[in-house]
């Protein structure tokens, strides 16, 4: 068993993330993991990511506040606003952008598999 206390969760930075604080809950710097890692991101009001795609799927669960997720596939954009305990899956190759359009912080958990070996 690998336990990560929130107080001990290591911070990390990711390119294209603005006005955000990200903590690793499991995997990578937070300890051993075989197939996926978990992160917790706090987005300040106005916090956002760029619209980017990855080769692996991503799962988001909003744990506090409200978060708008924009997805883009084959040039078609789709948008959804998620509240507390709402979730969203982003498919491999699907672009995604997170935005906090409110005046309160939002928190979201990310579950993401490790990229397959090249």
């Amino acid at each position: 068993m690998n336990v990560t206390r929130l107080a001990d969760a290591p911070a990390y930075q990711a390119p294209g993330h603005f006005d955000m604080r990200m903590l690793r809950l499991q995997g990578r710097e937070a300890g051993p993991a075989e197939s996926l890692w978990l992160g917790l991101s706090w987005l300040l009001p106005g916090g956002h990511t760029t619209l980017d795609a990855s080769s692996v799927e991503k799962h988001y669960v909003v744990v506090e506040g409200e978060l708008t997720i924009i997805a883009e596939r084959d040039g078609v954009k789709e948008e959804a606003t998620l509240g507390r305990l709402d979730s969203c899956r982003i498919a491999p190759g699907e672009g995604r952008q997170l935005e906090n359009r409110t005046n309160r912080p939002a928190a979201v958990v990310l579950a993401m598999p490790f990229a397959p070996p090249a």
Side-chain angles (χ1 to χ4, degrees):
M1 175 167 47
N2 181 67
V3 174
T4 303
R5 306 282 181 204
L6 184 60
D8 300 324
Y12 70 97
Q13 295 295 318
H17 291 61
F18 305 95
D19 289 331
M20 293 177 64
R21 168 112 170 133
M22 293 157 287
L23 301 173
R24 196 85 67 192
L25 299 178
Q26 290 293 324
R28 302 199 187 271
E29 307 94 329
E34 294 179 17
S35 58
L36 62 86
W37 61 272
L38 291 175
L40 172 65
S41 297
W42 289 92
L43 291 85
L44 294 175
H48 64 282
T49 68
T50 54
L51 180 62
D52 292 313
S54 76
S55 62
V56 296
E57 69 181 349
K58 298 178 180 184
H59 295 262
Y60 295 96
V61 180
V62 175
V63 292
E64 188 172 310
E66 186 176 280
L67 192 63
T68 300
I69 299 183
I70 298 111
E72 181 178 44
R73 187 166 199 92
D74 300 324
V76 177
K77 286 189 178 179
E78 183 179 358
E79 183 175 304
T81 299
L82 305 179
R84 186 172 182 272
L85 300 181
D86 290 341
S87 62
C88 178
R89 175 192 181 252
I90 301 295
E94 184 175 19
R96 71 86 187 99
Q97 181 173 16
L98 307 178
E99 294 182 353
N100 181 353
R101 297 177 178 171
T102 74
N103 287 329
R104 295 181 157 208
V108 63
V109 169
L110 164 64
M112 184 173 162
F114 296 114

